[in-house]
Amino acid sequence: KTSDLTLQEIIIKGLKAEAKDKTIELLKEKSALKIVNEDLIPALDIVGNRFEEGSVFLPQLIISAETVKVAFEVIKEKIKKEEEQISKGKLILATVQGDIHDIGKNIVKVILENYGFEVIDLGKDVDPMKIVEVAKDENIKLIGLSALMTTTVKSMEETIRLLRENEVGCKVFVGGAVLNEEYAQMIKADFYAKDAKVAVEIANKVLN
Ligand code: B1M
């Protein structure tokens, strides 16, 4: 029998085994993307707010993040089972230098792949020059950057500046909880993606 707790409660408590079972159960009644938006993200928002208030500490934040990863592994497996597609184009994804938050980026990656795009995932805390090099070597036309902290939006700006300075002829879209349309324009990104779905729309527009 699966836990009587909701998936959100399970994540907040950091119960990994329960998270796996509950996600399998939820996938029978709603889509992967709905689980991400209605369960995983709200649970992390609650933990994040408690962390900011000081009622939850870093180890608990880490355990909740790990629990989300367990749930997301189940979701990823389910998505993967759906049909293989011909590549609609290739793009780079990276979480910018100084930032280790990669849950959002990883979700965006899986959704883009599910829509048929080939993703070169450079990971988290990525040196901007590494992005420049790979973009040039692979003749990339679109790059997606993620940042979750006010401090690392600066490094996102720097990455975009270096891409332009090195004449990497590609479009850049940015995402992450600290950003908005206005900020994205300020740091000279071409597009702002508020979530994975918008990322797919941008990829369709630029690569097709
Ligand atoms: Co940290 N953390 N964290 N954290 N953490 C935040 C971001 C924070 C807001 C919490 C808070 O205080 N309320 C705060 C930042 C404050 C600020 O600058 N404004 C914070 C802090 C301070 C820190 C540390 C510094 C804590 C410390 O060590 N004292 C440290 C950072 C270290 C570093 O990066 N150098 C830290 C560490 C961690 C953990 C390791 C414990 C863990 C991350 C685990 C991991 O990612 N592997 C963690 C977590 C989990 C969070 C919160 C709770 C949740 C983030 C998350 O994964 N959300 C977060 C608070 C919050 O956001 N509520 C917080 C779920 C995810 C699916 O959403 O990433 O927004 P998100 O992605 C969305 C959209 O934004 C968008 O699509 C996704 C799906 O809809 N999106 C994109 C994101 N990237 C995109 C890219 C795109 C397109 C769309 O295209 C390229």
Side-chain angles (χ1 to χ4, degrees), residues 23-182:
T23 307
I24 293 170
E25 187 183 292
L26 280 178
L27 276 170
K28 290 177 193 154
E29 53 192 69
K30 58 181 179 178
S31 73
L33 213 54
K34 266 203 156 154
I35 298 179
V36 168
N37 289 329
E38 293 173 5
D39 302 282
L40 306 191
I41 296 179
L44 281 176
D45 282 344
I46 292 170
V47 183
N49 289 336
R50 291 185 187 168
F51 173 70
E52 204 174 357
E53 289 161 16
S55 62
V56 146
F57 299 100
L58 194 57
Q60 285 160 282
L61 188 64
I62 293 172
I63 293 168
S64 288
E66 285 171 354
T67 309
V68 165
K69 288 198 166 178
V70 170
F72 195 61
E73 279 307 310
V74 177
I75 289 175
K76 226 160 74 180
E77 277 312 304
K78 154 98 178 169
I79 289 178
K80 265 202 198 135
K81 280 189 195 137
E82 286 156 22
E83 243 171 287
E84 290 267 322
Q85 295 170 338
I86 309 161
S87 175
K88 285 200 210 156
K90 197 158 56 172
L91 69 148
I92 289 177
L93 283 187
T95 298
V96 298
Q97 194 162 48
D99 204 319
I100 61 159
H101 295 91
D102 65 355
I103 298 175
K105 169 188 68 65
N106 294 342
I107 290 174
V108 172
K109 175 187 176 183
V110 169
I111 304 296
L112 280 166
E113 284 177 341
N114 188 237
Y115 276 87
F117 294 98
E118 192 182 329
V119 177
I120 301 178
D121 181 3
L122 296 181
K124 57 194 172 188
D125 187 15
V126 183
D127 179 344
M129 280 316 286
K130 168 91 186 166
I131 303 176
V132 170
E133 278 162 28
V134 177
K136 282 194 159 175
D137 290 350
E138 302 275 339
N139 191 23
I140 293 294
K141 297 280 175 282
L142 182 64
I143 298 177
L145 301 174
S146 180
L148 264 285
M149 299 192 291
T150 36
T151 46
T152 50
V153 174
K154 271 262 152 268
S155 119
M156 193 174 241
E157 183 174 21
E158 173 68 4
T159 306
I160 296 173
R161 195 185 64 75
L162 281 170
L163 284 165
R164 309 285 192 231
E165 193 179 283
N166 286 278
E167 292 171 353
V168 182
C170 65
K171 300 280 186 200
V172 179
F173 69 107
V174 295
V178 282
L179 290 164
N180 56 33
E181 195 75 59
E182 210 184 350

